[in-house]
Amino acid sequence: MAYLFLMLGVSLLLPLLRLAFRLRLGLPLLFALGMLTMCHSWYQAHTALADGIFLALVGLAALSWAVTFLRWSAETVGYVLADRLAGAALARRVRQAIDEIKPGLPLFHNSGHILVGRRDQARCDTHLELESLPTGGWGFDWGNGPAWDNVLFNLPYNLFRLRGDTQTIRECAPNLMRYLTYIGGRLDADGTLAIGLRDWCPVGRDAADYVSPLRFTDTVLVSDMARKAEKMFAAVGMLRESAYAKALADDTRAAVRRNLIDFDTMTVSGSCQTSQAMALYYGMFNREEEQKAFARLLDFIHDKDDHIDTGVLGARVIFHVLSKFGHGDLAMKMIVREDYPSYGNWVARGATSLWEMMMPDDNVGSMNHHFWGDISGWFIQCAAGLRPNPDADDALRVDFEPGLNCGLARASAHTQAACGETSLRWRLNGDQAQIELTLPESAHGEVILPEGWTFGRGKSRLPARTGAFIALKQ
């Protein structure tokens, strides 16, 4: 029994010693052990002094605890204050940036990321899809991939296209190049890619129940990112990087054409609205192939009784493709019809925001998901027809392409373009259309009419200028 107690004491000694040293009681402990063993005779002769020294050592340890606690408290308070000051500064900068373009525009902050008790964050902590950037958790562990990562390229690209901003390109260039190098290294042997999220939240199905193959959507979006990077790098004189991006864009486009398109029928892998629309929008078909490929898209739409049947990736492009090929009226029908599925059905069911999922019941997920929001871009660019710098090669160019065949009787749009305030307004009046536009003197562009309309004498294009135009229906 005595042996067992001895072994138990020895086994507990090491953990107790470790605990003592972590609590900074190692020196008092060693002093006490010395007084009880090697220096016991001295301790007996000077007990009061020895006890005083022991208590002083313990007191110093306790004082160190107090100092550490005060330092930790000060750092915590400082962090909280710095966090709130940084949040307030960010809120001011965001508000100022918005007010420079449209004073007083309401700004919504996604409350899902605000900590309980931190109401101050409500005015500065916003969603902004920051979780879409490459991460080690939500990101490359299972989600993300090119479908979400393209925010890295689209933000600086659209600042460049719409504002003529090259400074952001220079600031982002190292990370853009790192991403292209990374994603190029993840291509499979056939030149395609399949990682992360696909055509998320497809209509009428679970969020991850995709139809368009991941290998298709990923590879197409890599090609698109690389193509945009090619232009951005060239704009700031980074010619070697531009050549690298061009090679990656060409290679991934070739991989899509080689592996994922049936050229006998011009049908893209997946045989669905998303695959067909994305291939057309992102230039996977050659020009002479496009009409037959577009006819297949119409087949897929008509098979669904002219209803949308995509996820968020397809919804981002399908209406633009329809307008490009002269079917803006079909795009409008698909958007505004009140039967399910459609945006109009959401409105008929009481939606005042963009829901996360297009489902026939109340299982719609979040009621604030802007990844369905590209119809705003379609209304501006295709229905109204205001198209600043459409080819991303001239920030002073604005084209005006009124959507006279889209099913609306009138439309208007305006923007603060890089060249200044620009606007377009049109109204149908029988077989005529009255078109008014505003274009700064420093800018240039064209007024381009849709098929079936002319300015007279067979002309469907005129140089853009501030003033009024009359279009005639043929």
Side-chain angles (χ1 to χ4, degrees):
M1 183 64 70
Y3 176 76
L4 290 176
F5 278 114
L6 177 61
M7 291 300 294
L8 179 61
V10 172
S11 65
L12 292 176
L13 180 60
L14 186 58
L16 290 174
L17 287 174
R18 287 179 178 174
L19 178 62
F21 277 97
R22 287 184 65 87
L23 294 175
R24 300 172 190 169
L25 293 173
L27 192 57
L29 179 61
L30 291 175
F31 181 82
L33 289 174
M35 293 300 101
L36 295 176
T37 55
M38 295 180 296
C39 302
H40 187 64
S41 58
W42 185 87
Y43 174 74
Q44 288 181 320
H46 305 86
T47 303
L49 176 60
D51 289 346
I53 294 174
F54 177 77
L55 292 174
L57 292 174
V58 173
L60 288 173
L63 180 62
S64 73
W65 299 342
V67 170
T68 299
F69 176 76
L70 290 174
R71 183 182 294 124
W72 174 83
S73 300
E75 289 177 352
T76 301
V77 171
Y79 172 79
V80 171
L81 290 176
D83 179 57
R84 297 193 178 196
L85 289 173
L90 174 62
R92 287 196 302 272
R93 291 177 61 190
V94 171
R95 184 72 264 169
Q96 290 170 358
I98 291 172
D99 287 342
E100 288 178 2
I101 299 173
K102 189 173 183 61
L105 181 71
L107 175 64
F108 176 78
H109 296 286
N110 191 311
S111 60
H113 300 283
I114 298 175
L115 300 176
V116 174
R118 291 299 306 276
R119 293 184 180 180
D120 61 291
Q121 291 182 345
R123 61 189 178 87
C124 58
D125 184 12
T126 185
H127 198 27
L128 291 178
E129 284 298 338
L130 292 179
E131 80 275 17
S132 298
L133 303 181
T135 64
W138 189 92
F140 291 153
D141 183 43
W142 73 273
N144 275 24
W148 260 238
D149 301 340
N150 61 59
V151 65
L152 288 168
F153 295 80
N154 285 331
L155 284 177
Y157 178 79
N158 282 301
L159 286 172
F160 167 62
R161 182 174 71 88
L162 298 174
R163 308 297 301 162
D165 177 8
T166 56
Q167 179 59 34
T168 303
I169 297 176
R170 294 186 178 90
E171 293 174 359
C172 294
N175 288 331
L176 299 180
M177 193 62 200
R178 286 177 63 191
Y179 184 85
L180 292 179
T181 304
Y182 156 78
I183 207 68
R186 295 204 62 173
L187 297 178
D188 292 334
D190 64 357
T192 64
L193 180 73
I195 60 174
L197 299 179
R198 311 185 203 183
D199 190 27
W200 195 243
C201 293
V203 168
R205 295 181 290 274
D206 290 339
D209 186 12
Y210 315 104
V211 177
S212 185
L214 175 61
R215 190 166 300 281
F216 169 76
T217 56
D218 266 3
T219 312
V220 167
L221 291 174
V222 169
S223 182
D224 177 60
M225 287 188 284
R227 194 70 69 196
K228 289 171 178 173
E230 175 194 352
K231 284 191 174 184
M232 288 190 285
F233 287 140
V236 295
M238 300 176 66
L239 301 184
R240 184 175 61 178
E241 291 81 356
S242 179
Y244 180 93
K246 181 181 185 304
L248 180 59
D250 291 343
D251 289 346
T252 45
R253 180 181 186 269
V256 170
R257 290 177 59 81
R258 185 170 57 248
N259 298 289
L260 299 170
I261 298 178
D262 177 359
F263 287 101
D264 290 334
T265 62
M266 293 299 169
T267 303
V268 184
S269 179
S271 298
C272 61
Q273 292 181 18
T274 288
S275 294
Q276 207 71 18
M278 287 184 66
L280 285 161
Y281 184 85
Y282 292 111
M284 297 299 109
F285 289 105
N286 295 333
R287 186 173 298 276
E288 66 274 12
E289 301 162 345
E290 289 182 342
Q291 286 297 334
K292 189 173 181 179
F294 179 71
R296 290 295 292 136
L297 174 60
L298 289 180
D299 289 341
F300 296 134
I301 293 173
H302 296 329
D303 286 345
K304 296 296 180 179
D305 192 26
D306 294 352
H307 285 95
I308 185 173
D309 186 35
T310 72
V312 297
L313 300 183
R316 188 180 300 168
V317 302
I318 189 169
F319 304 124
H320 294 274
V321 172
L322 287 171
S323 290
K324 175 183 176 181
F325 288 90
H327 289 260
D329 54 341
L330 177 56
M332 182 67 72
K333 175 184 177 181
M334 295 170 68
I335 292 170
V336 304
R337 61 187 304 169
E338 294 188 0
D339 57 331
Y340 172 84
S342 68
Y343 290 88
N345 179 255
W346 272 350
V347 175
R349 291 160 60 184
T352 57
S353 60
L354 294 170
W355 294 348
E356 184 175 8
M357 302 174 70
M358 277 197 186
M359 302 295 280
D361 51 28
D362 292 334
N363 182 30
V364 296
S366 161
M367 291 186 173
N368 175 40
H369 257 67
H370 52 274
F371 56 20
W372 289 98
D374 191 74
I375 55 164
S376 296
W378 180 82
F379 277 115
I380 293 169
Q381 297 175 66
C382 298
L386 185 58
R387 303 179 66 86
N389 195 7
D391 298 322
D393 57 0
D394 185 354
L396 295 180
R397 175 184 168 191
V398 181
D399 284 348
F400 302 84
E401 301 183 31
L404 305 180
N405 295 333
C406 73
L408 293 177
R410 58 188 174 86
S412 64
H414 65 91
T415 186
Q416 185 69 29
C419 56
E421 180 72 21
T422 305
S423 66
L424 168 64
R425 181 188 306 273
W426 61 263
R427 178 188 296 273
L428 296 181
N429 183 14
D431 290 337
Q432 290 187 350
Q434 299 173 337
I435 304 170
E436 299 177 6
L437 59 92
T438 302
L439 183 67
E441 292 184 1
S442 62
H444 61 94
E446 287 187 298
V447 185
I448 304 170
L449 297 180
E451 185 177 356
W453 292 84
T454 71
F455 292 112
R457 299 182 180 179
K459 292 184 177 180
S460 60
R461 306 169 76 107
L462 288 177
R465 56 170 175 76
T466 296
F469 298 79
I470 297 295
L472 304 174
K473 192 171 185 178
Q474 292 179 313

